[in-house]
Amino acid sequence: MLEQSYYDKADEIINRYGTESRWLIPIIQDVQSEYRYLPAELLSYIAKKLNITEAKAYSVATFYENFSFEQKGKYVIKVCDGTACHVRKSMGILDRLYKELGLEKGQHTTSDMLFTVETVSCLGACGLAPVLTVNDEVHAAMTPDKVTALIKELRGEA
């Protein structure tokens, strides 16, 4: 059960756009920007406000890879595993991230909700490979040792 403030924020966002169904995507984008994920209860609430079925809202939200129903950490780290990054050892970077953060395979977010790690197909920065982003800030020419330093910096230990 979500706190009332979530519904109040959703109402605020809906009021900016209006209640026509064509505004579903921008509304849920703004909700996700606010919370770093799309709470399922809030998607149902938005569907009712826009007078569309929950099934329609869920089909849109699950179609686009950008939307996530899982709560994310303060720092969302995306590791590129596109061809250029992969051949330049991006998986070693991912392995180091999992080790530094104490994540098990299949686990994406640390228990303290500080870090979320995702693998993406391409970040569009092939010339800077291997690349990762932290909250959309690009970190180029990464190495496992640079990952260790970055995590320390983000934790305020550097």
Side-chain angles (χ1 to χ4, degrees), residues 91-103:
M91 288 299 93
I93 292 163
L94 186 64
D95 291 342
R96 179 68 66 92
L97 271 171
Y98 272 81
K99 181 180 176 191
E100 288 290 332
L101 301 175
L103 293 171

Side-chain angles (χ1 to χ4, degrees), residues 1-2 11-12 18 22 31 40-42 52 69 80 95 108 121 126 143:
M1 183 92 169
L2 294 174
D11 285 337
E12 180 185 312
R22 68 186 174 122
V31 167
E41 300 100 299
L42 216 48
I52 60 175
F69 291 106
C80 182
D95 291 342
H108 301 287
S121 298
C126 302
T143 65

Side-chain angles (χ1 to χ4, degrees), residues 2-3 7 9 50 67-68 103:
L2 294 174
E3 295 176 10
Y7 299 100
K9 180 51 98 172
L50 300 185
F67 295 115
S68 173
L103 293 171

